[in-house]
Amino acid sequence: MQSPAGTSETFPSSALTVPVPASVNKSFDIGGQFVWDATSLSLAQACPRKYQLKMIEGWQPRRKSVHLVFGGHYATALEHYYKHRALGDTLDEALEKIVFEALCDTWEERLLESEPEEGLPLPREIIGTGHPWDSGDAIKTRETLIRTIIWYVDQFADSAVKVILDSEGKPLVERSFTLNVDNDIVFAGHLDTAVEYASAPYVMDQKTSKSTISAYYFEGYRPDIQMSMYTFAGKAIFKLPVKGVIIDAAQIAVGFSRFERGFTFRTELELDEWYTDMMILIERIRKMTSDNYFPMDRTACGNYGGCEFRTVCSRDPAVRRQFLLADFTQGPTWDPLDRR
Amino acid sequence: MSDLQSIFAEDPLSYTTDGGQLRTIIEEMRKRRGQFNMGNLKAGNLKPVSEKQKAILSIADQLDL
């Protein structure tokens, strides 16, 4: 994306704007973002200013959210579990593999045998050095992560869910996708697992929460951008009549992990409406990008426990950058095309 | 430190088949899940026991009820 060509009287350039070179973020072109995933769509829908701060300027909290880290490890473990089972592992074989992998993924900062040198492979790590991941949270810890993985597998061991295999016999697990849609826009994302349940295909997703999982929890996923994207993409990519998403939700508490399985369905009309809404949203954001001005949605500041940028946006524009620098770090922007 | 806590404190790449650390973790977690299903909401609590709690627990065997 080119640098904004100065300011206009109608839309003064935000004092915070930092151009994102197209060579850095593959999902942007001269007109703005053209590759969209559920994360960037959700940001754009929540508040254009939040979209600007995160997607255009790359501001992120200094410490990555424990919910994202914990949830990421948990989802990866269960994706791999379903893949191992689909490829013939027994429950215990698959469980040992994923528990070991999760333990390794949450071990940090092993020392290296020697100093790394540019252009050469990284030196080997010294086993027995380093330390376990400290989440900084009293509930979502490394130990409760392992506990939750094991208890989930045992709870759903006899589940009627079966991973769908593709035409080459490979399990439909961990599939990143890109999908060309109208107006030269591309939808992208990552589908955890495609499964068959009661003779119907679904996308499966894993969620974690500290709260009790109830029917009200699952109602919150309708309407929902991510679940609609999964259903839409699942139909287009897998060429299956995907009915919706199976959501396996885990409540993480100090003394236990408890699970509920819910479903969120999407009809054709709902998906058509969602698609229309997303294309209008994208067009709106691209116009804001072109104008280099992203207004705040002041009704969104208190949603979901409060926007992470509330402490910034509540300040006078002249001093916002200081508050950004104090509480956030500016790094690579979220790229929907990056494989995760 | 309990057996489970000491296993978690070790580098997982140092685990061995003979050592059975992985098996111990899985079996202990399964045992605790069974206790939770029986109604103990604290069964899965993996926090280290404090010295005060250890002292209280140590007298349990001495009580003649």
Side-chain angles (χ1 to χ4, degrees), chain A residues 18 213 237 262:
Chain A
V18 174
I213 310 296
I237 302 299

Side-chain angles (χ1 to χ4, degrees), chain A residues 96 110 128 142 147 154 255, chain B residues 8 10-11 23 29-30 44:
Chain A
E96 281 197 18
R110 280 193 196 89
R142 182 172 185 249
R147 180 191 74 201
D154 278 356
Chain B
F8 270 106
E10 288 174 40
D11 182 345
R23 265 288 113 202
M29 295 294 189
R30 281 177 160 161

Side-chain angles (χ1 to χ4, degrees), chain A residues 74-99 101 149-150 152-159 161 163 171 173-174 193 204 206 261, chain B residues 30:
Chain A
Y74 179 66
T76 297
L78 296 187
E79 277 178 23
H80 291 179
Y81 169 76
Y82 282 107
K83 185 162 74 174
H84 293 319
R85 292 303 310 275
L87 292 173
D89 279 4
T90 64
L91 184 151
D92 281 337
E93 286 168 345
L95 180 59
E96 281 197 18
K97 286 179 183 175
I98 65 172
V99 168
E101 185 183 25
I149 291 169
I150 296 169
Y152 172 91
V153 166
D154 278 356
Q155 171 134 350
F156 291 105
D158 297 323
S159 164
V161 157
V163 175
V173 175
E174 292 184 289
T193 318
M204 177 181 259
Q206 308 291 341
R261 174 167 281 172
Chain B
R30 281 177 160 161

